Amino acid sequence: MSRFLELLGHYNYFVTIFLMMAGLYVVIARGNMIKKLVGMSLFQTSVYLLYISPGKILGGTAPIVDARFAVYSNPLPHVLILTAIVVGVATLALGLALVVRINEAYGSVEEDEIFARDGKTRDGKTRDGETRDGES
Amino acid sequence: MALLIDALSWLCIVTGSGFVVVGAIGMVRMPDLFTRMQAASLIDTVGAGLLLFGFMLQAGFGLVTVKLVVLLALFFFIGPMVSHALAQAALHEGVKPILAEDRRGRLDRKAKAGGK
Amino acid sequence: MFHVAVIAVLVALVLAVFRALAGPGVFDRMLAANSIGSLAILLLAGLGFLNGRPEWLDIGITYGLLNAVSTLAVLKFFRHGDLAFDAEDEA
Amino acid sequence: MKQDVILRVGVKTVFPFILMFALYVHFHGDYGPGGGFQAGVIIAAGIILYALVFGSAAAKRVAPVAVVERLVPAGVLIYVFGGIPGLFAGKRFLDYTVYAQDPLHGHEWGVFIVEGGVIVTVAATMIAIFYAFGDRARG
Amino acid sequence: MELAINAVLLTLLVAISLGIIRQRSLFGVVLLAGAYSFLIASILIVLDAVDVAMTEAAVGAGISTVVLLATLHLTGSMEYPKPRPAVLPLFVCAVTGVALIWGTWDLPGFGVAVAPIHQATVPEYLRVAEAHLIAPNVVTAVLADYRGYDTMGETTVVFTAGIGVMLLLRGRRKVGADAGLDAKPGAKT
């Protein structure tokens, strides 16, 4: 029974690692850039879980001090993750803005098509407007 | 009196839980979008209403009850708004509800096929 | 008694997630996502009473508002494509 | 969606309460869950809801682009200037005990100012991001 | 009870993430991501992180859904139908995952109060809060007071990201370059 409970406790870590790997898989196996960004936010949420799970104390309560309670969960990971979430959405928006610009320059958000197009332009026949756009 | 309130809140919470589960089952089992929507709205209205009312009886007068009332008002305001928008968008997009005639027609066809 | 509510909401969540994953159309997924939001609010309220700290219902109000925002955004995306669409532009 | 009476009336009714609720979350952050980050996101969500139903031109009358874009750096500046009085009093940067005689009240004032900076930056940034994406769509 | 609720919600999270991986329509991915963020917010409530849950629900379900949908409007919402070969990435992920799971064996059990994470600095925060020297909500107090530098940095990052988005998306589109590219066959997905 105690062995089962221990496994149930470690379940948090297993799920965290599963989500991490799911995010990694989406990032490296899918060619669509928007899907890659969604995969990156999957990875990000797994990091939230990785930080928050060890901070929990069974039988404890949330770290808002009240005279009725004595045991509180650890507030420090909450602080770190709270700011990370907001920064995460800001950087997600930045990534999506980059995707929009890439789509305007290349007409596609698929990595394969973009590579194919880059290969074509690299063979000497550079298109002026496009390369300047890419650099600016 | 306390016992009465306790019993009433028990009743509300258990019935509300029942409605929540029934609504969710309906959401899985119903045949098309509109019937599923009707089942899901059970969660938003009766289920949430009874559960939150039961919680209110448990909480007594205070800030918690005020928050529960606000939550309930939010459910009753936004739930219908969202269902309305959802149904309208679905109709606009050309999702057809399964009507009784379709069903009867299918049954008739089946009966004919069986008869011959 | 709060156990009953929490367990019922969990069962409903499982069913709603099933509908979100299986749902044949986009609208079914949307309906399921909206229901998951509502059920998360109920779960939050139940857990608050279960743990003896019901004063966090603010979080539930936030969930409700954001649930409405995301659902309406999806529906507007469906109807107009453009999230910043104006009726004034059309005229 | 502007022609839709149900949505219009519903959102018009809910909108002021969203902003009020955001302020409640902000100022109640010392005693319950909440604070500048959450309140900023809720304000942004309220404006976005308004823009969804009434169109972005109406939302820009509520939160003009120029104001929003000036508020983005203004929040960071509020934060930084909240820390500077500590330096003048011979203490460290972001030392809040200079704000009042009683250290506890000093801390409360300091947290108040700093969280004010956070809410301004977060809300303005989220709204500005929404406007930027929305404006790009129409070229 | 806490452990059981936690386990059920985590399993649902795994199911939704599998759905996100398998879903080929980006629109469906966005919808599932909204549901995912509500579920993870519920898990955070169970793990006692109420402030984080509030932020995650607001940000994940509200703002990122809206931003993703706005991007989909600008780029088109179907994923490329041709799947890439998935064997190598799957192998890499499996190996890394197994190695990480092997690494968790030595971690302290879930929810025990004697774990090292609970020993340093945090008892001090809680003691100060219980003595009414900082605000009762320890998270806000630590966020704005003890870790003020950190939060200033985070605010600056949010500001920088916002400025970056504005720089990338404001300003006029280069119509000529756009039109020239779009005329090529196969340019549109």
Side-chain angles (χ1 to χ4, degrees), chain B residues 35-83:
Chain B
T35 46
R36 272 178 219 142
M37 222 148 92
Q38 177 256 340
S41 69
L42 209 60
I43 299 175
D44 274 353
T45 52
V46 194
L50 282 175
L51 273 180
L52 294 181
F53 186 67
F55 290 154
M56 261 181 239
L57 290 179
Q58 281 291 315
F61 287 105
L63 190 59
V64 175
T65 306
V66 174
K67 284 177 188 169
L68 282 170
V69 170
V70 172
L71 205 52
L72 203 56
L74 201 70
F75 263 110
F76 284 168
F77 240 100
I78 286 180
M81 215 164 84
V82 166
S83 329

Side-chain angles (χ1 to χ4, degrees), chain E:
Chain E
M1 187 69 191
E2 278 175 316
L3 272 178
I5 297 171
N6 192 19
V8 171
L9 288 174
L10 285 170
T11 314
L12 291 182
L13 204 63
V14 169
I16 292 261
S17 71
L18 284 176
I20 289 179
I21 294 177
R22 287 182 50 81
Q23 185 69 238
R24 298 216 73 86
S25 144
L26 290 175
F27 193 68
V29 168
V30 173
L31 288 177
L32 286 180
Y36 178 91
S37 101
F38 272 118
L39 279 179
I40 202 159
S42 302
I43 291 174
L44 291 173
I45 295 273
V46 176
L47 294 177
D48 285 347
V50 280
D51 289 86
V52 188
M54 198 174 196
T55 321
E56 168 63 30
V59 160
I63 307 288
S64 46
T65 306
V66 168
V67 174
L68 278 168
L69 286 176
T71 313
L72 287 191
H73 172 58
L74 291 167
T75 60
S77 62
M78 273 313 286
E79 196 176 347
Y80 200 55
K82 190 185 77 181
R84 287 181 171 187
V87 181
L88 187 63
L90 212 54
F91 176 71
V92 170
C93 290
V95 169
T96 322
V98 168
L100 286 174
I101 284 178
W102 185 53
T104 61
W105 287 132
D106 283 344
L107 284 178
F110 174 70
V112 289
V114 292
I117 183 174
H118 302 302
Q119 304 308 321
T121 64
V122 175
E124 170 68 12
Y125 294 153
L126 291 173
R127 190 189 61 73
V128 172
E130 274 171 342
H132 298 293
L133 292 177
I134 54 175
N137 185 355
V138 186
V139 176
T140 307
V142 174
L143 182 85
D145 207 332
Y146 283 95
R147 303 187 69 88
Y149 274 87
D150 188 357
T151 309
M152 190 177 80
E154 305 275 11
T155 316
T156 318
V157 172
V158 172
F159 157 74
T160 318
I163 296 291
V165 172
M166 280 191 253
L167 282 178
L168 282 170
L169 293 184
R170 295 282 300 277
R172 303 205 53 78
R173 235 188 269 201
K174 283 188 184 139
V175 182
D178 239 23
L181 277 174
D182 282 351
K184 295 255 182 295
K188 283 275 182 203
T189 44

Side-chain angles (χ1 to χ4, degrees), chain A residues 20-86:
Chain A
M20 215 175 257
M21 289 308 116
L24 184 66
Y25 174 78
V26 173
V27 170
I28 62 182
R30 293 279 191 256
N32 189 295
M33 290 188 173
I34 296 175
K35 187 122 185 211
K36 269 181 203 279
L37 283 171
V38 173
M40 236 169 73
S41 45
L42 268 184
F43 201 112
Q44 225 169 16
T45 41
S46 83
V47 176
Y48 305 159
L49 275 183
L50 182 69
Y51 268 65
I52 302 278
S53 306
K56 165 82 178 163
I57 297 179
L58 280 178
T61 180
I64 297 173
V65 174
D66 192 311
R68 291 174 294 156
F69 299 97
V71 183
Y72 300 101
S73 292
N74 197 329
L76 200 50
H78 302 183
V79 176
L80 301 176
I81 294 308
L82 180 62
T83 49
I85 290 176
V86 179

Side-chain angles (χ1 to χ4, degrees), chain C residues 14 16 26 32 38 44 47 57 60 63 70 75 77 79 83 89-90:
Chain C
V14 173
V26 177
S38 301
L44 164 80
L47 278 175
L57 290 163
Y63 284 17
S70 68
L75 292 171
F77 180 81
R79 290 244 322 253
L83 285 186
D89 284 6
E90 214 172 24

